[in-house]
Amino acid sequence: MLKLTDIEKIYQTKTIETVALNRVNLTIGKGEFVSIMGPSGCGKSTLLSIIGLLDEPTSGTVEIDGRPVAAYSDRELAALRNQKIGFVFQSYHLINDLSVLDNVELPLLYRSGVGGKERQQRALAALDKVGLSARTNHFPSQLSGGQRQRVAIARALAGGPELILADEPTGNLDSVMGEEIMDLLLTLNREDGVTIVMVTHDEHQAQKTERVIRFFDGSQVS
Ligand code: ADP
Ligand code: ADP
């Protein structure tokens, strides 16, 4: 599904040059659940941004479904980003003055060909999937951290993604809620076949995934 070859990412400011990723080679197959570990600053978020087509490498190639990203048109890339890939962040990134349902519908608003009724149906189905059917009219501030992360996962799911990129999805949660979110991700992977790439600092959670990739200082070490 995804192949990274010789990926380098260099952040250049006036005075400093930071090599965030140094010749990274990585293949992620359809249906895999991969975790990425490594100390702070080693390039994990940069890698997720590149995989998620939010940022471009300084050099190297990214291939999606056997085709280099450079060969896709801007329109095709926008469609990939919006439809194939779902993002989940440590800090949820929900909009506080929108209801749970409106938050989950939001990404579908910008998608052509999805009308209001279908939007709502898809959002409700996603909320059902994450066990939050009873909270659709609540606001984020009325939910626990674990529930907020479920809303964020439902928002990612509503778009029907093939790939979910999760940046420390349990980082702000206590161990019980973290475990619940981890179980939810495992279910989505096993039952719905969603490919998942997750950055985590939690060794116990990483061990539950199929493959652990370790980074140090911009390079893959195992
Ligand atoms: P991690 O997610 O593992 O903590 P990051 O990918 O966020 O690591 O960062 C990797 C390195 O790149 C760090 O040294 C960080 O300071 C640097 N970096 C990240 N983003 C930028 C940026 N926008 N400009 C300059 N340097 C950056
Ligand atoms: P943190 O781990 O510091 O709490 P997040 O998990 O919110 O931060 O975000 C992790 C990474 O994703 C950061 O490198 C950040 O720059 C990036 N990021 C955060 N929000 C967005 C967004 N809406 N779109 C794209 N990238 C984002």
Side-chain angles (χ1 to χ4, degrees):
M1 157 174 241
L2 198 71
K3 188 172 179 204
L4 274 58
T5 310
D6 272 342
I7 294 294
E8 243 191 340
K9 179 68 183 183
I10 299 170
Y11 290 107
Q12 180 85 59
T13 62
K14 264 184 218 145
T15 47
I16 22 169
E17 184 183 279
T18 307
V19 180
L21 294 173
N22 183 17
R23 295 189 151 268
V24 172
N25 291 286
L26 190 62
T27 303
I28 294 168
K30 217 178 177 57
E32 269 199 285
F33 191 162
V34 177
S35 44
I36 297 176
M37 298 196 78
S40 185
C42 73
K44 303 178 301 294
S45 295
T46 301
L47 182 74
L48 272 201
S49 304
I50 288 173
I51 292 176
L53 309 174
L54 298 171
D55 199 358
E56 286 180 30
T58 309
S59 64
T61 52
V62 178
E63 284 169 59
I64 294 175
D65 296 336
R67 201 168 145 219
V69 162
Y72 288 83
S73 68
D74 285 350
R75 236 179 104 211
E76 286 174 317
L77 283 181
L80 278 179
R81 237 181 334 249
N82 298 335
Q83 296 177 24
K84 266 199 161 184
I85 306 175
F87 294 90
V88 176
F89 299 101
Q90 176 176 0
S91 45
Y92 326 123
H93 292 271
L94 300 176
I95 297 182
N96 288 325
D97 50 12
L98 290 182
S99 72
V100 163
L101 183 62
D102 287 342
N103 265 285
V104 176
E105 282 190 26
L106 204 58
L108 294 171
L109 267 181
Y110 305 108
R111 191 175 297 185
S112 58
V114 180
K117 202 164 177 196
E118 186 187 345
R119 200 159 62 225
Q120 193 180 65
Q121 277 168 355
R122 287 172 72 157
L124 288 171
L127 283 164
D128 185 42
K129 189 102 213 166
V130 303
L132 277 185
S133 291
R135 296 283 185 278
T136 56
N137 293 319
H138 282 59
F139 287 84
S141 62
Q142 299 169 311
L143 303 176
S144 71
Q147 290 173 328
R148 288 182 208 189
Q149 193 58 295
R150 284 171 188 274
V151 176
I153 292 171
R155 180 182 55 190
L157 283 178
E162 291 175 24
L163 173 65
I164 287 185
L165 301 177
D167 199 342
E168 292 186 54
T170 65
N172 284 345
L173 303 175
D174 67 32
S175 58
V176 174
M177 284 199 225
E179 206 68 17
E180 279 176 24
I181 292 298
M182 192 59 204
D183 287 344
L184 174 60
L185 292 174
L186 284 163
T187 302
L188 295 177
N189 173 252
R190 286 177 191 155
E191 291 178 10
D192 302 85
V194 182
T195 308
I196 303 179
V197 180
M198 173 181 77
V199 169
T200 181
H201 285 291
D202 187 324
E203 187 71 43
H204 172 69
Q205 286 178 0
Q207 291 305 330
K208 291 185 172 181
T209 67
E210 288 165 64
R211 185 149 64 107
V212 185
I213 298 170
R214 292 172 204 277
F215 274 81
F216 188 79
D217 230 0
S219 298
Q220 195 179 333
V221 289
S222 69

